[in-house]
Amino acid sequence: MSEITIKRYTLLAPPGQTAPWLDCRVCGPEGAPLLLFLHGFPEAAFVWDELLRHFGDRYHCVAPNLRGYASSFSPQDPAAYRAQSVAMDLVQLVQQIRAPAAAVVAHDWGGAIAWGLAAMLPQLMQRLVILNSPHPALFLQALRDDPQQQQASAYMNLLRQAGVEDRLQADDFAMMWPFFEQFGGAPWLTPALRQQYREVWSAGLSGALNYYRASPLHPPESPQDPVCTLTLPDNLTHVRVPTTVVWGEADTALPPSLLDGLDQYVSTLKVVRLPGATHWLVHEMPERVAREIDAALRRSSWRELVN
């Protein structure tokens, strides 16, 4: 089985600023095609370890801790966590390693960034694999117009609050564990895995929370909230990269209704529904997720994707 190592990639910085960096978990031969794995909230790169080992015999697998997470660089200003800034980290990372990536595999917030990357820079990847992460245009519509989605996403406004870090860190992160449990239960959350989360969260929560603070997407807090009139430009929403979406249908935060209309925005699309999986499908069904990624990597044409 391939070994996972830790590697720091230093990125370019504007003149006069300290160079940012991403610490990555890496597995597989450097000369092999690149698979890039992007984690979400409140996780970190370690959640991909089983998949890195699975694919590390054939691919060069890289899972970065996104900016603000664990030991990667963590700017203090919430504005530094706007999608474009985070995406540019990943553009530089892929260009340093091997462009284009054979596939970008992304979950939750990682998926939010990956949707934008695929729309703006399709030449950066040959395939996109999304795991329970809604397309931004469909998520915006649901946040704005669907009371059920507004209720399911109410936690986003909590995470946007100034100073919420202290509340989330109190009593051994007592307010953090329910994120796993309320979105579908967490029998997979072993004591060893809990300790890995503690170590990541103990490095600081502000960076992870700044993604929510910087994003214009959240349930409206009043009729005058800017999200009520927000529109997304076409160049940020239309994806021409062959895309596979794997969705745990028991996700209570991101229900499968968010898949409705996805084919309007993705020209080459395969949707795989997992009725027994929740938001945490990477932990619940790692072998099934690996099979679907394998299948996506084998597809090479529109005919293969839709059949």
Side-chain angles (χ1 to χ4, degrees):
M1 184 173 291
S2 301
E3 179 184 0
I4 295 174
T5 59
I6 309 300
K7 184 171 182 179
R8 175 167 291 184
Y9 288 89
T10 301
L11 310 178
L12 298 176
Q17 296 186 19
T18 302
W21 68 90
L22 295 177
D23 283 346
C24 302
R25 301 177 77 83
V26 179
C27 188
E30 291 190 0
L34 171 64
L35 292 186
L36 184 67
F37 293 82
L38 306 179
H39 69 83
F41 177 90
E43 303 198 286
F46 72 84
V47 302
W48 298 112
D49 281 0
E50 188 168 345
L51 290 174
L52 300 188
R53 294 189 181 99
H54 175 86
F55 290 101
D57 62 338
R58 293 161 286 157
Y59 293 91
H60 185 58
C61 302
V62 177
N65 286 311
L66 299 178
R67 69 160 63 190
Y69 282 86
S71 55
S72 289
F73 83 112
S74 300
Q76 295 183 351
D77 185 359
Y81 294 83
R82 291 172 180 154
Q84 184 173 3
S85 297
V86 181
M88 288 310 300
D89 294 345
L90 302 174
V91 171
Q92 290 193 50
L93 181 64
V94 171
Q95 290 174 340
Q96 280 194 41
I97 301 170
R98 177 182 289 267
V104 174
V105 181
H107 175 246
D108 190 77
W109 261 109
I113 304 303
W115 279 121
L117 273 177
M120 293 185 296
L121 294 168
Q123 67 271 24
L124 204 68
M125 66 191 77
Q126 295 174 329
R127 302 165 188 83
L128 176 64
V129 180
I130 292 288
L131 311 174
N132 280 64
S133 183
H135 185 281
L138 297 173
F139 196 36
L140 170 60
Q141 179 180 332
L143 288 171
R144 189 179 53 213
D145 302 330
D146 183 353
Q148 291 185 331
Q149 187 62 58
Q150 291 167 1
Q151 182 177 2
S153 297
Y155 70 93
M156 298 176 73
N157 288 333
L158 168 67
L159 299 180
R160 291 165 52 84
Q161 293 177 9
V164 74
E165 288 89 339
D166 290 342
R167 294 168 58 192
L168 295 174
Q169 290 171 328
D171 301 322
D172 187 31
F173 304 100
M175 290 182 63
M176 294 292 290
W177 305 115
F179 282 108
F180 300 121
E181 295 152 1
Q182 73 187 46
F183 297 153
W188 49 267
L189 190 56
T190 64
L193 199 51
R194 282 179 181 269
Q195 184 56 32
Q196 286 184 284
Y197 282 112
R198 286 189 187 95
E199 292 172 4
V200 168
W201 299 341
S202 295
L205 292 174
S206 292
L209 297 173
N210 281 339
Y211 283 75
Y212 292 94
R213 294 165 178 154
S215 174
L217 300 187
H218 58 87
E221 298 184 276
S222 73
Q224 291 75 42
D225 196 303
V227 72
C228 295
T229 55
L230 179 66
T231 58
L232 299 177
D234 286 348
N235 68 325
L236 294 180
T237 60
H238 284 84
V239 174
R240 294 173 178 81
V241 174
T243 300
T244 300
V245 174
V246 184
W247 205 276
E249 292 195 304
D251 189 336
T252 57
L254 300 172
S257 58
L258 289 168
L259 295 170
D260 297 344
L262 184 55
D263 56 354
Q264 300 176 34
Y265 297 98
V266 185
S267 58
T268 309
L269 175 65
K270 172 76 172 181
V271 175
V272 179
R273 298 171 181 264
L274 304 182
T278 75
H279 188 71
W280 311 110
L281 69 170
V282 173
H283 302 285
E284 297 163 332
M285 298 185 176
E287 294 180 356
R288 177 64 186 274
V289 170
R291 288 202 304 270
E292 296 303 337
I293 297 171
D294 267 320
L297 290 166
R298 290 194 300 269
R299 296 183 191 109
S300 60
S301 71
W302 164 252
R303 183 181 299 276
E304 291 173 332
L305 192 62
V306 297
N307 292 332

